[in-house]
């Protein structure tokens, strides 16, 4: 139950509370709770994947890249068993993925030359992800030469368990922490930002290729382990809980049936205001998770993030301490 609803119900039962006048008026309490829930729902802006390629000035909460990409083989130990890897929000330089091409508007499938170029910006343990990184960077040309943040989580996950933090949430936690830097169109804490379909030049180039502005790319080697919703939470600082929790908005965004469960190898672009959640693993196995957060980041949590092996520093406020301590 959301804390606001809990406070209303407790207040109605506490004689010293102004809400105690509703102690025996269940109809009034139901109306108050309904109005609160309707207020939450007013922050949900639904978008439509089917119209994103029609050159219409709409917003978009997500975009699944049309071509799934194979995940690299995991690292193996001497006994031939996969080695767990957990790199979180490591800063790296987002290089131009196709340096041999004369025009950034030409899009070719990734090949060895491009992958090798992108691999130079990654530490040895992550060079095998160069093809996936390159596929993402081709979609965000404004991010080239900026500092991005890569996450790779590879581990054995039991059936019914989640690899990543569970719960419906968005990446932006709402209000910015002290000292955090705001970016452009954001009034709140940025965790990659993300714009598409808002009449920004370059959303669709002359070849019909989709270009996003900032945002986050996510992918996994296992199907049905991540669900996303094609909508945005607007003015989200007024409705999100701790660390972007929006579990109280599940009904407002259409419930589970309105979400999209990602297939293996699908790369999905989302904003930091796009609802998503990690799903319980349908079967046990070694899951590989990839995420690329683009440059618009308000704060980098030192305790929870992986420093760059190549000496690349985060281009934002560095926050010390445990970000879950106030959960």
């Amino acid at each position: 139950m959301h804390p606001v609803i809990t406070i209303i119900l407790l207040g109605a039962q506490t004689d010293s509370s102004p809400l105690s006048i509703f102690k025996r008026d269940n109809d009034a309490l139901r109306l108050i709770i309904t109005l609160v829930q309707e207020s939450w729902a007013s922050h949900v802006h639904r978008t439509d994947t089917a119209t994103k390629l029609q050159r219409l000035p709409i917003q978009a909460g997500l975009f699944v890249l049309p071509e799934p990409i194979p995940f690299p083989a995991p690292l193996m130990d001497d006994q031939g068993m996969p080695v767990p890897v957990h790199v979180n929000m490591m800063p790296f330089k987002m290089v131009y993925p196709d340096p041999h091409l004369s025009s950034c508007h030409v899009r070719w499938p990734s090949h060895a030359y491009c992958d090798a170029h992108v691999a130079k910006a990654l530490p040895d343990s992550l060079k095998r992800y160069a093809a996936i990184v390159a596929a993402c960077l081709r979609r965000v040309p404004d991010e080239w030469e900026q500092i991005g943040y890569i996450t790779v989580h590879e581990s054995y996950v039991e059936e019914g368990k989640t690899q990543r933090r569970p719960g419906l949430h968005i990446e932006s936690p709402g209000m910015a922490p002290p000292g955090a830097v705001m970016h452009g169109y954001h009034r709140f804490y940025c965790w990659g930002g993300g714009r598409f379909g808002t009449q920004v030049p370059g959303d669709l180039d002359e070849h019909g290729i989709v270009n996003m502005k900032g945002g986050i790319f996510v992918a996994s080697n296992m199907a049905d382990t991540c669900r996303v919703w094609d909508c945005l939470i607007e003015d989200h600082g007024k409705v999100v809980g701790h660390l972007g929790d929006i579990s109280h908005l599940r009904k407002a965004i259409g419930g589970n049936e309105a979400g999209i469960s990602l297939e293996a190898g699908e790369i999905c672009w989302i904003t930091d205001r796009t609802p998503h959640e990690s799903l319980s693993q349908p079967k046990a196995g070694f899951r590989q998770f990839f995420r690329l957060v683009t440059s618009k980041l308000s704060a980098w949590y030192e305790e929870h993030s992986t420093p760059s092996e190549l000496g690349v520093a985060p281009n934002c406020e560095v926050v010390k301490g445990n970000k879950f301590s106030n959960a």
Side-chain angles (χ1 to χ4, degrees):
M1 184 179 296
H2 191 268
V4 169
I5 304 299
T6 302
I7 290 172
I8 292 172
L9 295 176
L10 289 176
Q13 301 301 317
T14 304
D15 291 340
S16 60
S17 169
L19 292 172
S20 62
I21 62 174
F22 302 112
K23 186 173 184 177
R24 292 179 176 83
D25 193 341
N26 291 333
D27 289 339
L29 279 175
R30 278 193 290 268
L31 177 59
I32 292 171
I33 291 172
T34 297
L35 291 174
V36 169
Q37 292 172 332
E38 289 177 353
S39 174
W40 290 340
S42 69
H43 291 263
V44 177
H45 178 84
R46 300 184 184 280
T47 58
D48 181 8
T49 300
T51 61
K52 288 191 182 74
L53 298 179
Q54 305 303 315
R55 298 179 182 271
L56 299 177
I58 64 170
Q59 290 184 310
L62 65 88
F63 182 80
V64 178
L65 274 59
E67 296 181 0
I69 191 166
F71 264 67
L75 302 176
M76 309 297 282
D77 62 18
D78 295 340
Q79 284 72 45
M81 299 296 293
V83 177
V85 172
H86 193 188
V87 172
N88 191 57
M89 293 295 289
M90 176 186 285
F92 78 107
K93 188 174 182 180
M94 296 183 288
V95 298
Y96 176 23
D98 301 305
H100 67 301
L101 299 180
S102 59
S103 170
C104 68
H105 295 294
V106 179
R107 301 291 192 269
W108 288 350
S110 179
H111 55 70
Y113 181 86
C114 302
D115 295 351
H117 178 69
V118 172
K120 294 177 183 178
L122 301 172
D124 290 344
S125 62
L126 301 185
K127 291 185 185 300
R128 55 204 169 97
Y129 278 87
I132 297 180
V133 173
C136 298
L137 292 181
R138 290 190 183 94
R139 299 287 178 163
V140 284
D142 286 356
E143 295 291 327
W144 297 343
E145 303 304 316
Q146 303 297 315
I147 302 300
Y149 304 87
I150 186 172
T151 294
V152 170
H153 193 176
E154 301 178 327
S155 64
Y156 181 84
V157 184
E158 296 179 358
E159 181 180 348
K161 302 293 184 180
T162 59
Q163 182 188 56
R164 307 292 296 174
R165 71 157 163 147
L168 181 62
H169 64 282
I170 62 175
E171 290 300 328
S172 173
M175 303 309 295
V181 178
M182 295 298 95
H183 294 274
Y185 51 89
H186 260 287
R187 293 183 291 123
F188 302 106
Y189 187 116
C190 294
W191 195 269
R195 287 187 299 179
F196 168 81
T198 52
Q199 296 181 309
V200 178
D203 283 349
L204 288 171
D205 64 22
E206 64 266 37
H207 302 283
I209 299 298
V210 179
N211 290 325
M212 298 81 171
K213 303 291 181 179
I216 305 165
F217 295 89
V218 294
S220 168
N221 71 326
M222 302 195 84
D224 302 322
T225 54
C226 181
R227 183 187 290 135
V228 294
W229 278 260
D230 196 1
C231 62
L232 296 169
I233 307 302
E234 297 183 328
D235 209 9
H236 55 286
K238 297 179 179 179
V239 291
V240 297
H242 186 64
L243 298 178
D245 172 57
I246 55 167
S247 56
H248 53 294
L249 297 181
R250 189 177 296 273
K251 182 178 179 180
I253 63 175
N256 292 347
E257 57 272 19
I260 300 169
S261 186
L262 298 181
E263 297 295 329
E266 282 188 331
I267 301 176
C268 183
W269 175 90
I270 62 175
T271 77
D272 59 7
R273 291 98 61 216
T274 302
H276 61 285
E277 66 180 343
S278 180
L279 299 177
S280 298
Q281 195 120 326
K283 62 179 181 179
F286 194 81
R287 185 176 190 250
Q288 296 173 274
F289 171 79
F290 167 85
R291 180 181 67 195
L292 192 162
V293 177
T294 54
S295 61
K296 292 178 175 59
L297 191 73
S298 295
W300 187 78
Y301 285 92
E302 185 177 65
E303 184 173 328
H304 305 280
S305 304
T306 307
S308 169
E309 298 176 18
L310 303 179
V312 180
N315 188 27
C316 61
E317 182 77 12
V318 176
V319 177
K320 299 182 182 296
N322 191 312
K323 70 178 183 179
F324 298 107
S325 60
N326 294 323

